[in-house]
Amino acid sequence: MVDQKVAIVTAASRGMGAACARHLAASGYSLMLFARSEEVRVLAKELGADAMTGSVASEADLRKLVEQTHERHGRIDAVVNNTGHAAKGELLALTDEEWHTGLDLLLLNVVRMARLVTPIMVRQGSGAMVNISSFVAAEPGLRFPISATLRAALGNYAKLYSQTYAGQGIRMNNVLPGWIDTYRVDDATRQTIPMGRAGRAEEVAKAVGFLLSADASYITGESLLVDGGFVRSA
Ligand code: NAD
C-alpha cells in the first residue's frame, strides 16, 4: 500500500486556505492545518485533520509546525504556503514597519518554510510546495503596493528554489489568484474581469491541488494565474 500523503496548509482557518484544506482532504491527504486563531480547530475536526495555532510571520511557530507534523507522520509531502493580507496605502505613505511586516508575511513565510521543510523532502526524495501569491505579482496595481512588490520577488524566489531542488524531486510553484470571492469585489471591478465574476476559493484550491499532484510532475518554478482572464499582459 502506498503511504498516505501528508500536507501542511498555513493560514487555513478561512478563505482560500480553508478551501485548499477541504480540497486536499477530499483528495486523500492527511492534513496539518495552521492558523493564528483557535477557529482552525473547528475545520480540522470536520476534516479529520490535525491543527496548530501560530503565525506564518514567526520563524519559531513555523519550526514548531514542521517539527510536529514530521514527528506525527514521519513525512511531509506537500505544503500550501497561504498567508494573510499586507497593509495597503498610498505608495510613499506606507511606513517601514508596514513594509517589514509585509516581508515577514508575504516573502519570508515561504523562505523560512522552505528552509525548514526542504531537508525532510530531500531525505524523502520528493515533495512539492505551492505558494498563494496574487495577480499583482504579474500586473502591479497601486491598490496593493506591498503585495505587488513582494510577490514579484516571490516569483523569482520560486525560480531560484526550483533550479536548486528540481533535481532532487522537489517542486515549488506559485498560484496567483485574481479577484476571489473571499474578498469584497465591487461592481466596477467585476466589470473589468473578462469572466464577469469573481473567482471561487474552490477554483483556486483545485489549481493548488493540481500543482501539488503527480499530474504536475514536470512543472516547477511556475506562476499560474487563476484570474478569469483579468491580467491582460502576456
Ligand atoms: P482571508 O482573509 O479570507 O483569509 C486569510 C487567512 O489568513 C485567515 O484565515 C487569517 O486568519 C490568516 N492569517 C492572516 N495572517 C496570518 C498569519 N500571520 N499567520 C497565520 N495565518 C494568518 O484571505 P483570502 O482572500 O483567502 O486570501 C489569502 C491570500 O491570498 C492573501 O495573502 C491574499 O493577499 C491573497 N490574495 C487574495 C485575493 C482575493 O481576491 N481574495 C486575490 C489575490 C491574492
Side-chain angles (χ1 to χ4, degrees), residues 112-134:
R112 289 169 175 151
M113 177 61 86
R115 225 186 259 143
L116 292 163
V117 87
T118 300
I120 293 168
M121 292 180 168
V122 166
R123 283 199 296 278
Q124 291 167 183
S126 67
M129 272 174 265
V130 171
N131 311 318
I132 305 293
S133 177
S134 168

Side-chain angles (χ1 to χ4, degrees), residues 20 27 31 43 61 87 93 103 114 117 129 156 188 209-210 217 223 225 228:
C20 288
S27 306
L31 291 178
L43 179 63
D61 288 356
L103 188 70
V117 87
M129 272 174 265
N156 276 0
F210 164 67
S217 54
S223 287
L225 283 160

Side-chain angles (χ1 to χ4, degrees), residues 55-128:
S55 170
V56 297
S58 158
E59 201 272 346
D61 288 356
L62 291 177
R63 182 176 296 276
K64 246 185 269 166
L65 170 64
V66 170
E67 283 174 0
Q68 282 195 18
T69 308
H70 193 237
E71 266 166 34
R72 183 166 165 80
H73 296 280
R75 57 186 301 115
I76 300 175
D77 300 283
V79 179
V80 180
N81 285 310
N82 185 43
T83 187
H85 306 272
K88 295 181 284 185
E90 198 273 322
L91 189 59
L92 300 185
L94 289 161
T95 64
D96 280 6
E97 196 188 343
E98 287 170 324
W99 281 97
H100 281 296
T101 303
L103 188 70
D104 280 327
L105 202 60
L106 304 186
L107 184 62
L108 290 183
N109 62 322
V110 173
V111 172
R112 289 169 175 151
M113 177 61 86
R115 225 186 259 143
L116 292 163
V117 87
T118 300
I120 293 168
M121 292 180 168
V122 166
R123 283 199 296 278
Q124 291 167 183
S126 67

Side-chain angles (χ1 to χ4, degrees), residues 208-228:
V208 170
F210 164 67
L211 287 170
L212 291 176
S213 76
D215 288 340
S217 54
Y218 204 55
I219 303 177
T220 190
E222 190 52 70
S223 287
L224 177 65
L225 283 160
V226 182
D227 71 343

